[in-house]
Amino acid sequence: MQITVVGAGNMARGIATRALAGGHSVTVTAKDPGNAVRLVDELRGQATGEGRLAAADASAVDTADIVVLAVPFDAAKQLATAYGPRLSGKVLIDISNPVDASLDALVVAPGTSAAERIAEAAGPDVRVVKAFNTTFATTLVAGEVNGTPLDVFIAGDDEAARKQVADLVTSGGLNPVDVGALRHARELEGFQLLHMALQIREASHGWASTIKIVAP
């Protein structure tokens, strides 16, 4: 698949690393083109896999199969609105967690989610999927915690889009967990709020933990 990652921060690095490990082609675009170029240069020296890698301007969303908004919630909403019809029919992955600065509360109203707000901004023809919001950047680069592959929870109203994201996840060596409709992004964002809050408390996990479903 052709994956366009919008953003050049730590989460962009982690997701691009997994996509490249899965053999996909990855294009990075960012508000600051220089940041996209620097990330691509770093990935060329570090990433495994045979996927093609490039930096580009925002036109990269036009040729993508999957567009990943690897940016904070407010920026993701703005980008979804700006891209609009250019994303028609495409899979748009929202990774954001709408949390306040103290990691004490969500900033979206009860009964909704960042993913649902982004879907509204993008328009009805864009297939929005929530994924990667429960994984931290450093664990994504490694692909595991203590030898255990990461779970990636996936929510979306389009079953084919969820399957496409699950294929991306699996190819990168991770474990997809399909939780169903996009409204379940509310629960994913809620328990990631708690997971994030644990990182800043005494005896924290140092942003190196993960949420895992363990079953017989």
Side-chain angles (χ1 to χ4, degrees), residues 148-159:
T148 301
L150 305 182
D151 280 356
V152 176
F153 296 87
I154 299 168
D157 290 336
D158 187 297
E159 184 176 359

Side-chain angles (χ1 to χ4, degrees), residues 1 3 24 65-68 90-95 127-132 152-156 158-172 174-178:
M1 291 183 283
I3 313 299
H24 304 286
D65 299 306
I66 295 177
V67 176
V68 183
K90 297 183 185 298
V91 176
L92 180 67
I93 296 179
D94 162 42
I95 75 164
R127 300 185 295 161
V128 174
V129 175
K130 189 79 179 188
F132 296 105
V152 176
F153 296 87
I154 299 168
D158 187 297
E159 184 176 359
R162 297 199 309 270
K163 175 63 166 59
Q164 200 169 347
V165 174
D167 288 345
L168 171 63
V169 168
T170 301
S171 68
L174 311 180
N175 181 52
V177 181
D178 186 336

Side-chain angles (χ1 to χ4, degrees), residues 97-173:
N97 286 295
V99 300
D100 65 11
S102 63
L103 302 184
D104 189 52
L106 297 173
V107 298
V108 292
T112 188
S113 65
E116 290 167 292
R117 297 279 297 277
I118 287 165
E120 291 171 3
D125 295 329
V126 182
R127 300 185 295 161
V128 174
V129 175
K130 189 79 179 188
F132 296 105
N133 78 297
T134 61
T135 53
F136 294 135
T138 54
T139 64
L140 275 170
V141 171
E144 50 84 18
V145 172
N146 290 337
T148 301
L150 305 182
D151 280 356
V152 176
F153 296 87
I154 299 168
D157 290 336
D158 187 297
E159 184 176 359
R162 297 199 309 270
K163 175 63 166 59
Q164 200 169 347
V165 174
D167 288 345
L168 171 63
V169 168
T170 301
S171 68

